Amino acid sequence: MLSSRVRLIPRTVRLVHSLIYNSCHSSMDLKALLCSLNDFASLSLAESWDNVGLLVEPSPPHTVNTLFLTNDLTEEVMEEALQKKADLILSYHPPIFRPLKHITWKTWKERLVIRALENRVGIYSPHTAYDAAPQGVNSWLAKGLGVCTSRPIHPSRAPNYPTTGTHRVEFSVNGTEDLDKVISAVKRIADVSVTSFSTRTDDEEQTRISLNCSQEALIEVVAFLSQSRQFYQKTEILSLEKPLLLHTGMGRLCTLDESVSLATMIDRIKRHLKLSHVRLALGVGRTLESPVKVVALCAGSGSTVLQGAEADLYLTGEMSHHDVLDAASQGINVILCEHSNTERGFLSDLRDMLGAHLENKINIILSETDRDPLHVV
């Protein structure tokens, strides 16, 4: 009897803890939650080719009590999410990437959509928006290297131009009569904003015209100015660039405070990713004792992002055979950990960050069945 009571106590404690934990959370309307998720990491940071955001939406209104995090949404993971009463699944990789031409029971991705809708579960994917974010996947991957400073390999730019238009056209005009004609003419062109200011060149009073315009309007502006040799020879055309975003972008170039041997770096990466094995390509002339000072990394598939980066080591999930050969020929070591192994561990940090960001208004849980499909045997 006594031993039976002893076994029951931990279960009772767990049940009470679960009730207390769940009672601390309320709920959020789906639309409000989506706004908060976008505030955490704007979807505008995602690559143009990506399919991010809300992919499956139950009929509104939809209340979210439980947010379920996974790296990949497979049928096994979907079953787990349903058993755990998820209202919204945040799948880092978008389960819908290529367009679906029909929704039937024939393919596993179609079945995911059907099961989600039947059970009123939304599906949201941030993917490359989380790759680029300052507190995102690549920054998490860099934590395993040791003390270092890092910067994006390909910095992100602000989603919008700070001023109107993509180009600025500047030229000078002599005389009030010409000035009125010119301003009147350019204002008739769509997507053009005009400012003017007085200048003095060679003791001659002039008016400097500054136009901000779109790429399409630029063609019309140049066509107009080319009609007058006086204007056109004094024309400057500037391309306006969106400002870079601090600590935001694809990949990371990490410089260690202190160099370590390649063997030591391999051990650090294994420990961080909780892996027993990684794949290694030694750079030409390199050994396991060669020093590593600069690491270029990209979670997932890094071939495009890492190409041309100057580093002692490339760290990513997967690269093509020929890209590995190219890197090794330049004396760059390459470590491959399999695609999702370089991403999945981030979800634990994400759970904590989202909990704080959402002020613990909803229950956030991690998938226990999500795993990389490849295993070393």
Side-chain angles (χ1 to χ4, degrees):
M1 277 308 270
L2 181 60
S3 62
S4 177
R5 290 197 192 98
V6 171
R7 285 197 297 271
L8 284 172
I9 290 172
R11 296 181 187 178
T12 305
V13 170
R14 284 198 298 270
L15 178 59
V16 172
H17 177 269
S18 176
L19 290 172
I20 293 173
Y21 182 77
N22 288 328
S23 67
C24 293
H25 299 87
S26 53
S27 62
M28 293 184 71
D29 177 74
L30 177 60
K31 290 184 178 179
L33 176 55
L34 294 177
C35 288
S36 293
L37 289 175
N38 197 63
D39 289 340
F40 175 76
S42 174
L43 294 177
S44 65
L45 299 177
E47 295 290 277
S48 59
W49 49 261
D50 207 355
N51 190 35
V52 296
L54 186 63
L55 306 184
V56 175
E57 179 182 11
S59 57
H62 185 61
T63 300
V64 178
N65 296 291
T66 298
L67 176 62
F68 182 89
L69 307 182
T70 183
N71 201 76
D72 292 295
L73 182 55
T74 62
E75 289 189 277
E76 183 182 10
V77 172
M78 172 61 83
E79 184 62 36
E80 180 194 2
L82 296 180
Q83 289 178 1
K84 293 180 177 177
K85 308 299 183 185
D87 303 295
L88 179 66
I89 297 171
L90 188 155
S91 176
Y92 167 73
H93 286 135
I96 304 173
F97 190 76
R98 297 182 181 89
L100 297 176
K101 294 186 177 181
H102 35 64
I103 305 295
T104 70
W105 205 249
K106 187 175 182 180
T107 68
W108 70 276
K109 289 194 174 183
E110 292 174 62
R111 291 194 292 271
L112 288 178
V113 175
I114 293 171
R115 297 207 70 192
L117 291 174
E118 286 180 340
N119 290 277
R120 291 190 55 76
V121 177
I123 301 175
Y124 176 91
S125 177
H127 200 202
T128 52
Y130 279 11
D131 289 347
Q135 75 282 29
V137 183
N138 285 305
S139 294
W140 166 81
L141 186 57
K143 289 181 181 179
L145 304 180
V147 181
C148 64
T149 56
S150 67
R151 62 177 177 82
I153 297 174
H154 300 285
S156 297
R157 293 187 178 275
N160 300 306
Y161 289 93
T163 58
T164 304
T166 60
H167 291 79
R168 178 169 296 159
V169 181
E170 294 189 352
F171 57 94
S172 297
V173 177
N174 296 323
T176 304
E177 186 176 341
D178 287 340
L179 176 62
D180 294 338
K181 290 180 180 179
V182 169
I183 292 180
S184 177
V186 295
K187 279 187 174 181
R188 288 196 293 267
I189 301 173
D191 297 325
V192 171
S193 61
V194 185
T195 57
S196 61
F197 52 93
S198 299
T199 62
R200 176 177 288 275
T201 304
D202 298 329
D203 293 328
E204 183 180 7
E205 288 285 348
Q206 294 183 329
T207 301
R208 191 72 174 167
I209 305 295
S210 179
L211 311 176
N212 278 17
C213 61
S214 64
Q215 178 73 46
E216 295 75 15
L218 178 64
I219 298 173
E220 293 186 56
V221 171
V222 170
F224 167 74
L225 293 176
S226 63
Q227 296 173 13
S228 170
R229 187 176 179 182
Q230 172 194 353
F231 298 151
Y232 198 58
Q233 287 183 341
K234 299 178 181 179
T235 297
E236 293 180 340
I237 300 177
L238 307 175
S239 177
L240 302 179
E241 291 192 349
K242 299 175 183 178
L244 297 177
L245 298 177
L246 195 64
H247 308 307
T248 307
M250 295 301 161
R252 293 293 184 272
L253 191 66
C254 307
T255 303
L256 299 172
D257 284 9
E258 295 183 6
S259 298
V260 297
S261 69
L262 177 59
T264 297
M265 182 55 68
I266 292 172
D267 288 339
R268 288 181 180 181
I269 291 167
K270 285 181 178 179
R271 195 179 312 117
H272 184 57
L273 301 183
K274 298 176 181 168
L275 298 175
S276 58
H277 298 84
V278 295
R279 291 191 287 167
L280 170 67
L282 282 172
V284 172
R286 301 295 186 261
T287 70
L288 289 175
E289 297 309 313
S290 295
V292 173
K293 178 72 173 178
V294 179
V295 180
L297 63 83
C298 176
S301 180
S303 288
T304 302
V305 173
L306 298 178
Q307 191 172 34
E310 296 183 4
D312 303 308
L313 170 66
Y314 285 175
L315 170 61
T316 187
E318 59 179 331
M319 287 176 66
S320 75
H321 174 77
H322 296 286
D323 287 335
V324 172
L325 290 178
D326 286 342
S329 72
Q330 301 170 56
I332 301 172
N333 305 298
V334 178
I335 293 178
L336 305 181
C337 308
E338 305 309 342
H339 189 111
S340 68
N341 287 337
T342 57
E343 304 161 337
R344 185 169 288 100
F346 166 71
L347 295 180
S348 294
D349 282 12
L350 177 63
R351 175 185 54 192
D352 296 338
M353 288 188 290
L354 285 181
H357 180 72
L358 300 174
E359 300 176 337
N360 294 312
K361 292 178 181 177
I362 58 174
N363 187 26
I364 304 175
I365 57 178
L366 288 181
S367 171
E368 296 177 7
T369 57
D370 175 42
R371 61 180 64 87
D372 196 273
L374 293 172
H375 303 274
V376 177
V377 296

